[in-house]
Amino acid sequence: MQDFTFQNRTKIVFGRESEEQTGEEVSKYADKVLFVYGGGSIKEYGIYDKVMESLEGAGVEAVELGGVKPNPRLKLVQEGVEICQEESIDFILAVGGGSVIDTAKAISIGVPYEGDVWDFYAEDKTIEESLPIGTVLTIPAAGSESSPGSVITKEEGGLKRDAGSNKLRPEFAIMNPEFTYTLPDYQTASGAADIMAHVMERYFTHEPNVDFTDRLCEATLRTVIENTPIALEEPKNYGVRAQIMWASTVAHNDLLGTGRVGDWASHPIEHELSGMYDITHGAGLAIIFPAWMEYVHNENIEKFARFAASVWNEEVDFNSLERTAQKGIEDLRKFFRSTGLPTSLGDLDVEIDEADLEEMARKCTDKGPVGNFVELDEEDVLEIYQLAR
Ligand code: NZQ
Ligand code: ZN
């Protein structure tokens, strides 16, 4: 196990009616906020009114910025930066999912910065300063409510890039599982795939003596695997929604990555897909992750056999760990399919030809190889896209 520093400052306020505490939490930082939200689900399902009521009760003024799209765009971030500068706002409240939270994070680093906020994404510029942000989460998926990352898409060129710093971890996350009852099935399933991907990116490591975190990873995966089909059948099952929601935060708040080096190849490989074709990130991962597994599993067949046995209850075939590993990969694919997700590029509604795959592989590796479990260069990434066809 490697040495590590783990610090996650995000305060989690979890449970029914937790949104009533939004105003109180915000008022510790500011009496005026930029209230960022998405395409309207929070208005349709009453979340907007509840949060507004709590803000008003605490005497907090809200300036609104709605219209964040999934795979959030740079343009709206720049609009938000201008509003904050003009209105002297120094706290941002994100009410929604990863796209809304990532937009809020991007605005939070854009306001104190004199240049173009895209520099942090395109050039990995170090984040020196940011405004504090808070979140009211409405979909368990990206884990952005306590992660140090933000992912933004620049429309010209379909460039989806991330920025990261502990400064981007939100001050608080309000999490009411009841808010997730209204999720469309596709978003519930895509969220589950994203949560699982965040765990698997960390699980597949060559680091020895990390049984403790391996077991935490396996428990998180099993929880999502068991509860997601029930959430799809019974969208208003509180216990099930609550377990998935908490798993989504733990999957990506870095606890599961302690003492080890995660892989993190499947995410950039997927981000090319959702950046260029505007597909849902979790659905993209359901296509890419099994293909990545096919490509790399021989590098540590024991770990893949363990994945099959400990996550999917497969019996280990000691005469052929390869056969056991393949069962685990197939179980993962079957699970994704059973939740209604695509598992190959051919399942998508978009036309992607060989030249597109080549372009994605080139863009994905424009700053060098991706992945730590196995370092993948442009040709490797292209082969993974081809395996995913
Ligand atoms: O826009 P509205 O109308 O709110 O609808 C949203 C959106 O269409 C809808 N939705 C959210 N909560 C709902 C709801 N519909 C009904 N009831 C509710 N309670 O769901 C759709 C998807 O929302 P989005 O915010 O895009 O989902 P998600 O949380 O999956 O975020 C995806 C984004 O996060 C990035 C992804 O790349 C993608 O851009 N990621 C961010 C990470 C981070 N910051 O740490 C890590 C992840 O790996 C990921 O890359
Ligand atoms: Zn993800």
mmCIF file of all heavy atoms in Angstrom, residues 1 55 66 69 90 112-113 182 208 220 233 237 293 297 344 348 354 359 381:
data_model
loop_
_atom_site.group_PDB
_atom_site.id
_atom_site.type_symbol
_atom_site.label_atom_id
_atom_site.label_comp_id
_atom_site.label_asym_id
_atom_site.label_seq_id
_atom_site.Cartn_x
_atom_site.Cartn_y
_atom_site.Cartn_z
ATOM 1 N N MET A 1 0.851 -1.205 0.000
ATOM 2 C CA MET A 1 0.000 0.000 0.000
ATOM 3 C C MET A 1 0.881 1.247 0.000
ATOM 4 O O MET A 1 1.844 1.313 0.747
ATOM 5 C CB MET A 1 -0.897 -0.017 1.244
ATOM 6 C CG MET A 1 -1.796 1.179 1.302
ATOM 7 S SD MET A 1 -3.207 0.948 2.414
ATOM 8 C CE MET A 1 -2.544 1.389 3.960
ATOM 9 N N LEU A 55 -33.765 29.235 1.050
ATOM 10 C CA LEU A 55 -32.861 30.393 0.890
ATOM 11 C C LEU A 55 -33.533 31.658 1.417
ATOM 12 O O LEU A 55 -32.921 32.440 2.162
ATOM 13 C CB LEU A 55 -32.485 30.582 -0.589
ATOM 14 C CG LEU A 55 -31.591 29.499 -1.216
ATOM 15 C CD1 LEU A 55 -31.374 29.774 -2.704
ATOM 16 C CD2 LEU A 55 -30.236 29.416 -0.510
ATOM 17 N N GLY A 66 -30.011 29.318 -15.165
ATOM 18 C CA GLY A 66 -30.540 28.007 -15.557
ATOM 19 C C GLY A 66 -30.023 27.634 -16.934
ATOM 20 O O GLY A 66 -29.264 28.379 -17.556
ATOM 21 N N LYS A 69 -26.791 22.220 -19.790
ATOM 22 C CA LYS A 69 -27.114 20.990 -20.534
ATOM 23 C C LYS A 69 -26.214 19.859 -20.054
ATOM 24 O O LYS A 69 -25.093 20.103 -19.620
ATOM 25 C CB LYS A 69 -26.825 21.215 -22.014
ATOM 26 C CG LYS A 69 -27.757 22.186 -22.667
ATOM 27 C CD LYS A 69 -27.471 22.213 -24.166
ATOM 28 C CE LYS A 69 -28.380 23.219 -24.838
ATOM 29 N NZ LYS A 69 -27.753 23.905 -25.950
ATOM 30 N N ASP A 90 -20.114 35.964 -4.541
ATOM 31 C CA ASP A 90 -18.949 35.148 -4.225
ATOM 32 C C ASP A 90 -19.298 33.798 -3.600
ATOM 33 O O ASP A 90 -18.504 33.204 -2.873
ATOM 34 C CB ASP A 90 -17.921 35.922 -3.389
ATOM 35 C CG ASP A 90 -18.566 36.621 -2.222
ATOM 36 O OD1 ASP A 90 -19.667 36.177 -1.848
ATOM 37 O OD2 ASP A 90 -17.997 37.589 -1.693
ATOM 38 N N PRO A 112 -12.349 34.567 -10.138
ATOM 39 C CA PRO A 112 -11.144 35.277 -9.677
ATOM 40 C C PRO A 112 -9.990 35.265 -10.683
ATOM 41 O O PRO A 112 -8.924 35.788 -10.396
ATOM 42 C CB PRO A 112 -10.749 34.500 -8.404
ATOM 43 C CG PRO A 112 -11.386 33.173 -8.520
ATOM 44 C CD PRO A 112 -12.503 33.258 -9.496
ATOM 45 N N TYR A 113 -10.195 34.663 -11.848
ATOM 46 C CA TYR A 113 -9.101 34.509 -12.830
ATOM 47 C C TYR A 113 -9.224 35.550 -13.939
ATOM 48 O O TYR A 113 -10.315 35.770 -14.463
ATOM 49 C CB TYR A 113 -9.189 33.089 -13.422
ATOM 50 C CG TYR A 113 -8.135 32.761 -14.449
ATOM 51 C CD1 TYR A 113 -6.777 32.824 -14.136
ATOM 52 C CD2 TYR A 113 -8.496 32.366 -15.740
ATOM 53 C CE1 TYR A 113 -5.812 32.509 -15.084
ATOM 54 C CE2 TYR A 113 -7.539 32.039 -16.688
ATOM 55 C CZ TYR A 113 -6.201 32.113 -16.362
ATOM 56 O OH TYR A 113 -5.246 31.802 -17.300
ATOM 57 N N THR A 182 -37.790 10.820 -9.469
ATOM 58 C CA THR A 182 -38.312 11.237 -10.783
ATOM 59 C C THR A 182 -37.330 11.013 -11.919
ATOM 60 O O THR A 182 -37.601 11.383 -13.067
ATOM 61 C CB THR A 182 -38.662 12.747 -10.731
ATOM 62 O OG1 THR A 182 -37.483 13.458 -10.284
ATOM 63 C CG2 THR A 182 -39.794 13.022 -9.777
ATOM 64 N N PRO A 208 0.016 -3.988 -4.411
ATOM 65 C CA PRO A 208 -0.273 -5.086 -3.475
ATOM 66 C C PRO A 208 -0.742 -4.554 -2.116
ATOM 67 O O PRO A 208 -0.579 -3.364 -1.822
ATOM 68 C CB PRO A 208 1.081 -5.785 -3.323
ATOM 69 C CG PRO A 208 2.099 -4.715 -3.583
ATOM 70 C CD PRO A 208 1.457 -3.700 -4.513
ATOM 71 N N THR A 220 -19.080 -1.608 -2.600
ATOM 72 C CA THR A 220 -19.770 -0.511 -3.296
ATOM 73 C C THR A 220 -20.365 -1.017 -4.614
ATOM 74 O O THR A 220 -21.526 -0.741 -4.947
ATOM 75 C CB THR A 220 -18.793 0.660 -3.538
ATOM 76 O OG1 THR A 220 -18.094 0.936 -2.325
ATOM 77 C CG2 THR A 220 -19.530 1.913 -3.996
ATOM 78 N N GLU A 233 -37.425 -0.884 -11.044
ATOM 79 C CA GLU A 233 -38.770 -1.461 -10.843
ATOM 80 C C GLU A 233 -39.622 -0.613 -9.913
ATOM 81 O O GLU A 233 -40.827 -0.479 -10.093
ATOM 82 C CB GLU A 233 -38.630 -2.853 -10.204
ATOM 83 C CG GLU A 233 -38.194 -3.955 -11.139
ATOM 84 C CD GLU A 233 -39.258 -4.267 -12.175
ATOM 85 O OE1 GLU A 233 -40.423 -4.456 -11.777
ATOM 86 O OE2 GLU A 233 -38.914 -4.315 -13.372
ATOM 87 N N ASN A 237 -38.713 3.656 -4.088
ATOM 88 C CA ASN A 237 -38.234 2.865 -2.957
ATOM 89 C C ASN A 237 -37.118 3.659 -2.268
ATOM 90 O O ASN A 237 -35.986 3.731 -2.756
ATOM 91 C CB ASN A 237 -37.732 1.509 -3.475
ATOM 92 C CG ASN A 237 -37.310 0.590 -2.354
ATOM 93 O OD1 ASN A 237 -36.751 1.019 -1.363
ATOM 94 N ND2 ASN A 237 -37.590 -0.696 -2.526
ATOM 95 N N MET A 293 -11.550 -3.647 -20.550
ATOM 96 C CA MET A 293 -11.240 -4.869 -19.803
ATOM 97 C C MET A 293 -10.745 -5.982 -20.725
ATOM 98 O O MET A 293 -9.776 -6.673 -20.419
ATOM 99 C CB MET A 293 -12.478 -5.343 -19.041
ATOM 100 C CG MET A 293 -12.839 -4.445 -17.879
ATOM 101 S SD MET A 293 -14.352 -5.029 -17.092
ATOM 102 C CE MET A 293 -14.200 -4.270 -15.488
ATOM 103 N N HIS A 297 -6.969 -7.210 -19.686
ATOM 104 C CA HIS A 297 -7.102 -8.119 -18.542
ATOM 105 C C HIS A 297 -5.906 -9.041 -18.336
ATOM 106 O O HIS A 297 -5.607 -9.450 -17.234
ATOM 107 C CB HIS A 297 -8.422 -8.900 -18.602
ATOM 108 C CG HIS A 297 -8.463 -9.910 -19.698
ATOM 109 N ND1 HIS A 297 -8.813 -9.582 -20.987
ATOM 110 C CD2 HIS A 297 -8.199 -11.242 -19.712
ATOM 111 C CE1 HIS A 297 -8.773 -10.661 -21.737
ATOM 112 N NE2 HIS A 297 -8.395 -11.677 -20.995
ATOM 113 N N SER A 344 -22.332 -1.462 -26.906
ATOM 114 C CA SER A 344 -21.416 -1.353 -28.048
ATOM 115 C C SER A 344 -21.731 -0.049 -28.784
ATOM 116 O O SER A 344 -22.831 0.499 -28.649
ATOM 117 C CB SER A 344 -21.578 -2.540 -28.993
ATOM 118 O OG SER A 344 -22.789 -2.410 -29.713
ATOM 119 N N LEU A 348 -25.633 2.675 -30.357
ATOM 120 C CA LEU A 348 -25.966 4.111 -30.277
ATOM 121 C C LEU A 348 -26.709 4.566 -31.527
ATOM 122 O O LEU A 348 -26.609 3.947 -32.587
ATOM 123 C CB LEU A 348 -24.683 4.943 -30.126
ATOM 124 C CG LEU A 348 -23.884 4.731 -28.836
ATOM 125 C CD1 LEU A 348 -22.546 5.474 -28.919
ATOM 126 C CD2 LEU A 348 -24.683 5.208 -27.626
ATOM 127 N N GLU A 354 -14.742 4.586 -39.086
ATOM 128 C CA GLU A 354 -13.342 4.345 -38.703
ATOM 129 C C GLU A 354 -12.567 5.661 -38.547
ATOM 130 O O GLU A 354 -11.771 5.826 -37.615
ATOM 131 C CB GLU A 354 -12.698 3.443 -39.776
ATOM 132 C CG GLU A 354 -11.301 2.952 -39.469
ATOM 133 C CD GLU A 354 -11.190 2.054 -38.219
ATOM 134 O OE1 GLU A 354 -12.188 1.432 -37.814
ATOM 135 O OE2 GLU A 354 -10.079 2.003 -37.658
ATOM 136 N N GLU A 359 -9.898 9.765 -35.084
ATOM 137 C CA GLU A 359 -9.829 11.137 -34.555
ATOM 138 C C GLU A 359 -9.967 11.127 -33.018
ATOM 139 O O GLU A 359 -9.238 11.823 -32.307
ATOM 140 C CB GLU A 359 -10.942 11.999 -35.171
ATOM 141 C CG GLU A 359 -10.756 13.467 -34.830
ATOM 142 C CD GLU A 359 -11.933 14.342 -35.248
ATOM 143 O OE1 GLU A 359 -12.784 13.881 -36.036
ATOM 144 O OE2 GLU A 359 -12.001 15.487 -34.743
ATOM 145 N N VAL A 381 -5.665 2.921 -27.831
ATOM 146 C CA VAL A 381 -6.998 3.497 -27.634
ATOM 147 C C VAL A 381 -7.864 3.206 -28.860
ATOM 148 O O VAL A 381 -9.048 2.842 -28.740
ATOM 149 C CB VAL A 381 -6.907 5.018 -27.346
ATOM 150 C CG1 VAL A 381 -8.288 5.653 -27.333
ATOM 151 C CG2 VAL A 381 -6.197 5.256 -26.010
#
